[in-house]
Amino acid sequence: MKKFVNNPENFVKEMIEGVVLANPNLKSIPEYNIVYRADMPRNDKVSIIQGSGSGHEPAHIMLVGRGMLDAACPGNVFSAPPMEYVLECTKLMKSDMGVLYIINNYQGDRMAWDMAREMAEMEGIKIGVVIVDDDVAVTDSTFTVGRRGVAGNFFVIKAVGAAAERGATLEELVELGKKVNSNVRTMGVALTSCTPPAKGKPIFEIGEDEMEVGVGIHGEPGRRRDKIKPADEIVDEVYKAVRDDLPFKGGDRVALMINGLGGTPISELYLLYRAAHLRCQDDGLTVVRSYVGNYCTSLEMAGFSLTLLRLDDEIEDLLAAPAEIPIRVF
Amino acid sequence: MKKFVNNPENFVKEMIEGVVLANPNLKSIPEYNIVYRADMPRNDKVSIIQGSGSGHEPAHIMLVGRGMLDAACPGNVFSAPPMEYVLECTKLMKSDMGVLYIINNYQGDRMAWDMAREMAEMEGIKIGVVIVDDDVAVTDSTFTVGRRGVAGNFFVIKAVGAAAERGATLEELVELGKKVNSNVRTMGVALTSCTPPAKGKPIFEIGEDEMEVGVGIHGEPGRRRDKIKPADEIVDEVYKAVRDDLPFKGGDRVALMINGLGGTPISELYLLYRAAHLRCQDDGLTVVRSYVGNYCTSLEMAGFSLTLLRLDDEIEDLLAAPAEIPIRVF
């Protein structure tokens, strides 16, 4: 296993400690894997929280900050957080205006967050829920009924995070989150597998000349296994699958994201971005915001996903709002 | 070769096209691999340019933008740019206040930039030079006389870029660049090799349980080959090598960077950051700025480098100044 790791059991906790050491405006509660804004909660702002498996960094603990998440409570690598983590995180972020859950659509996550919600509501905390399920590859996957939630999650968080800073109510944020989710579509491709530290072996096998088209972020099977093709041909297929699903049409304004799955260099991501941008131009889609980098990963997996988000004035404005999270450059 | 690529000969050009498509404030001259700010040159600001081999992205083409580089002219993957690229880039960015070259210390780069400088000066362009050589691992390497220039380059660009926006003269920028370089130290470790697209095979071989301590960003040998150890032990060795070189001492204010070499997930980088930050605390170094991510890479190589920069008020202020480059998040 070629990884920088100490005791694999401490992988998530040591990563969290690093995030908090590097970001003095964040705090943590190690017992529950909670990372939260030191200046939250506030009773004049809805708190926004999320927690899914670890291993998808920067999602979700590195998306905690002003204008994004107020707290995150991840589980172990590729494991939903235990219900108690979610409940403790909810109580910690309790606000008079309510707490918004943004939940990626996996069975384990749904169950943990549903149970925590019931218990939090019994304690008088007002909860709103937005489910993210943007992956067009397949319906009903290894860990999912319905569609999987993947990189589109970033846009949901960015939009509701900005709106919450402006004082939106819980009901408004739920409606906004659902709107963003209903306008975002994603599909991914993997060239390699990846190895969770505590497992010590790859989550699936793949040949030296193969790719998995439509892969899930936990290595779930996609639409099919194929031989590797030139990058432009791969983008062609992924782009069309994403475009035709909503469908996106000529005249649409869009945000275009090429998301790395962890082990793909940014040079290749920009080469893929080029192809995707040109396809948008050919179809008359206007790309008004571009995102190229690692937003939702699968440890060191080599691969990418392509996300299109249809914009209206409200969403475009919220995407452009300032935010401050650990995955900054400067 | 598990890469997203079309014709490997077009790898750099297609990447550059992607960067420009994603960033409407940038332009390119494909013939010379030049990426430049659409609003430059200006006669009231020194132009800052750089060009080394490709394959180290985001360095250097994704560091072009307000407050950083004004233009970059990379060569092919791991190859210095031809002299004509540098000369054309210099002429394009000609300014009454002069043009600053930031050159990483490799023989090929030095030669191309020295020749271009002579020719540009014959045309009446005023040139200043800053050499970056922050790698403490070895002296006189495969492609280098003296020390190699690696991730410390980011800090030199950030500081002189900010000062240039404030109107600093060419002479002031040269002095500032030299000051930053003289206060920054780096060392790296590789777990894997990497494969240039046009070469199609790894640049060196390394065993499944091995690491290269002190590796160069083109796979140059480091101090020694060793078995992989726990992350904290690896950081211990790298940190001490960097600390003792300047040396950094108790009471110093520092910027601390854990730079990924391309294939290492950010979860592992934060785990490494934790260890490095704690070592700084133990030694009484105050970490006032933290950088965790991919700044200077070797394609998809799994590995990291640790950089310490000793700060004074001037450098700290310049690092905090705004900048706008392609590797933003939002």
Side-chain angles (χ1 to χ4, degrees):
Chain A
M1 183 172 62
K2 289 221 134 177
K3 284 186 183 295
F4 296 110
V5 59
N6 297 302
N7 179 346
E9 301 299 328
N10 297 334
F11 184 75
V12 173
K13 295 212 180 298
E14 290 178 353
M15 166 180 70
I16 286 176
E17 197 179 340
V19 170
V20 173
L21 284 169
N23 294 277
N25 50 342
L26 299 181
K27 289 185 177 177
S28 74
I29 299 180
E31 189 181 352
Y32 300 108
N33 282 356
I34 294 174
V35 174
Y36 67 102
R37 288 172 59 179
D39 61 342
M40 289 296 293
R42 294 188 340 234
N43 279 324
D44 62 346
K45 189 185 107 58
V46 173
S47 296
I48 305 174
I49 67 178
Q50 181 166 72
S52 193
S54 291
H56 307 299
E57 291 72 24
H60 317 278
I61 56 168
M62 298 164 199
L63 303 182
V64 176
R66 188 175 56 87
M68 297 281 287
L69 295 175
D70 296 298
C73 55
N76 276 325
V77 171
F78 298 166
S79 297
M83 187 276 287
E84 314 87 72
Y85 290 22
V86 179
L87 183 58
E88 288 300 321
C89 191
T90 306
K91 292 199 280 192
L92 181 71
M93 287 292 115
K94 175 179 176 172
S95 160
D96 287 352
M97 287 187 69
V99 177
L100 179 67
Y101 289 0
I102 302 178
I103 307 171
N104 285 291
N105 189 39
Y106 298 95
Q107 292 291 80
D109 291 332
R110 294 288 295 265
M111 199 177 307
W113 288 82
D114 281 352
M115 289 192 298
R117 178 189 180 163
E118 278 185 34
M119 299 190 65
E121 284 176 340
M122 286 194 291
E123 297 189 25
I125 302 175
K126 198 170 137 192
I127 308 282
V129 174
V130 173
I131 306 291
V132 180
D133 60 350
D134 56 315
D135 189 340
V136 307
V138 294
T139 304
D140 299 344
S141 186
T142 319
F143 310 111
T144 317
V145 174
R147 287 181 162 185
R148 304 177 294 220
V150 287
N153 179 53
F154 177 86
F155 291 116
V156 176
I157 294 173
K158 181 69 188 71
V160 300
E165 293 291 338
R166 295 174 183 178
T169 65
L170 185 62
E171 293 71 22
E172 289 167 341
L173 293 179
V174 168
E175 194 181 342
L176 172 64
K178 287 179 179 173
K179 182 171 83 169
V180 175
N181 184 59
S182 71
N183 281 284
V184 68
R185 297 292 187 277
T186 300
M187 194 162 102
V189 173
L191 299 186
T192 70
S193 186
C194 65
T195 300
K199 187 174 179 190
K201 56 181 186 177
I203 54 174
F204 64 90
E205 298 295 328
I206 185 165
E208 263 310 303
D209 58 349
E210 289 182 329
M211 61 179 178
E212 180 71 24
V213 179
V215 71
I217 58 173
H218 313 93
E220 302 96 319
R223 292 186 172 184
R224 66 169 206 287
R225 186 67 59 97
D226 199 352
K227 300 292 179 193
I228 296 182
K229 296 178 177 172
D232 286 0
E233 287 180 37
I234 298 171
V235 171
D236 267 342
E237 176 174 356
V238 173
Y239 169 77
K240 279 178 191 157
V242 169
R243 179 198 64 190
D244 293 346
D245 191 86
L246 190 62
F248 295 85
K249 292 184 298 232
D252 283 348
R253 281 178 296 150
V254 297
L256 170 60
M257 173 186 280
I258 297 293
N259 167 60
L261 295 183
T264 292
I266 197 165
S267 47
E268 292 178 43
L269 298 182
Y270 270 104
L271 187 142
L272 295 162
Y273 179 86
R274 168 191 165 275
H277 189 111
L278 294 176
R279 303 293 173 284
C280 288
Q281 284 186 343
D282 290 346
D283 284 340
L285 309 184
T286 305
V287 180
V288 294
R289 295 192 71 84
S290 307
Y291 300 80
V292 185
N294 294 339
Y295 291 87
C296 180
T297 65
S298 302
L299 296 168
E300 75 281 11
M301 186 182 287
F304 78 100
S305 63
L306 184 158
T307 299
L308 280 174
L309 165 63
R310 187 166 58 192
L311 302 174
D312 60 15
D313 291 345
E314 181 189 26
I315 298 175
E316 188 176 343
D317 181 51
L318 292 167
L319 293 185
E324 192 178 342
I325 55 176
I327 52 161
R328 65 191 183 278
V329 179
F330 299 113
Chain B
M1 183 171 63
K2 290 220 133 177
K3 283 184 183 297
F4 295 110
V5 60
N6 297 302
N7 178 345
E9 300 298 329
N10 297 334
F11 182 75
V12 173
K13 296 214 181 295
E14 290 177 352
M15 166 182 67
I16 287 177
E17 197 180 338
V19 170
V20 172
L21 284 169
N23 294 277
N25 50 342
L26 300 181
K27 289 185 175 177
S28 74
I29 300 180
E31 188 181 354
Y32 300 108
N33 282 357
I34 295 173
V35 174
Y36 67 102
R37 286 173 60 179
D39 61 342
M40 289 295 293
R42 293 186 341 231
N43 279 324
D44 63 345
K45 188 185 108 58
V46 173
S47 296
I48 305 174
I49 67 178
Q50 180 165 72
S52 193
S54 292
H56 307 300
E57 291 74 23
H60 316 276
I61 55 169
M62 297 163 199
L63 303 182
V64 177
R66 188 174 57 87
M68 296 281 284
L69 296 175
D70 296 298
C73 55
N76 276 325
V77 171
F78 298 165
S79 297
M83 188 276 287
E84 314 88 71
Y85 290 21
V86 179
L87 184 58
E88 288 300 321
C89 191
T90 307
K91 292 200 281 192
L92 181 72
M93 286 294 113
K94 176 178 175 172
S95 159
D96 287 351
M97 288 188 69
V99 177
L100 179 67
Y101 289 0
I102 302 178
I103 307 172
N104 284 293
N105 190 38
Y106 298 96
Q107 292 290 81
D109 291 332
R110 295 289 295 264
M111 199 177 307
W113 288 82
D114 282 353
M115 290 193 298
R117 177 189 181 162
E118 280 186 31
M119 298 190 68
E121 285 176 340
M122 285 196 292
E123 296 190 26
I125 303 174
K126 198 170 138 192
I127 308 283
V129 173
V130 173
I131 306 291
V132 180
D133 61 349
D134 55 315
D135 189 342
V136 307
V138 295
T139 305
D140 298 345
S141 186
T142 319
F143 311 111
T144 317
V145 175
R147 286 179 163 187
R148 304 176 295 220
V150 287
N153 179 52
F154 177 86
F155 291 115
V156 177
I157 294 173
K158 181 68 189 72
V160 301
E165 294 291 339
R166 295 174 183 178
T169 65
L170 185 61
E171 294 72 22
E172 289 166 343
L173 293 179
V174 168
E175 194 181 340
L176 172 64
K178 287 179 179 173
K179 181 171 83 170
V180 175
N181 184 60
S182 72
N183 282 284
V184 68
R185 296 292 188 276
T186 300
M187 194 161 102
V189 173
L191 297 186
T192 70
S193 186
C194 66
T195 300
K199 189 174 179 191
K201 55 181 186 177
I203 54 175
F204 65 90
E205 298 296 328
I206 185 165
E208 263 311 302
D209 58 349
E210 290 181 329
M211 62 178 177
E212 179 71 25
V213 179
V215 70
I217 58 172
H218 313 92
E220 302 96 321
R223 293 185 172 185
R224 67 168 205 289
R225 185 68 58 97
D226 199 353
K227 300 292 180 193
I228 296 181
K229 296 178 177 171
D232 286 359
E233 288 181 36
I234 298 171
V235 170
D236 268 342
E237 176 173 356
V238 173
Y239 169 77
K240 280 178 190 155
V242 168
R243 178 197 64 190
D244 294 346
D245 191 85
L246 190 61
F248 295 85
K249 291 185 299 234
D252 284 348
R253 280 179 296 150
V254 297
L256 170 61
M257 173 187 279
I258 296 293
N259 167 60
L261 295 183
T264 292
I266 197 163
S267 48
E268 292 178 42
L269 298 181
Y270 270 104
L271 186 141
L272 294 162
Y273 178 86
R274 167 191 166 276
H277 189 109
L278 295 175
R279 302 294 173 285
C280 288
Q281 284 186 346
D282 289 344
D283 284 339
L285 309 184
T286 306
V287 180
V288 293
R289 295 193 70 83
S290 306
Y291 299 80
V292 186
N294 293 339
Y295 291 87
C296 180
T297 64
S298 301
L299 297 168
E300 76 279 12
M301 187 182 286
F304 78 99
S305 63
L306 184 159
T307 299
L308 281 175
L309 166 63
R310 187 167 58 193
L311 301 174
D312 60 15
D313 291 345
E314 181 189 26
I315 298 174
E316 188 176 343
D317 182 51
L318 292 166
L319 293 185
E324 191 178 342
I325 55 176
I327 50 161
R328 65 190 183 279
V329 179
F330 298 113

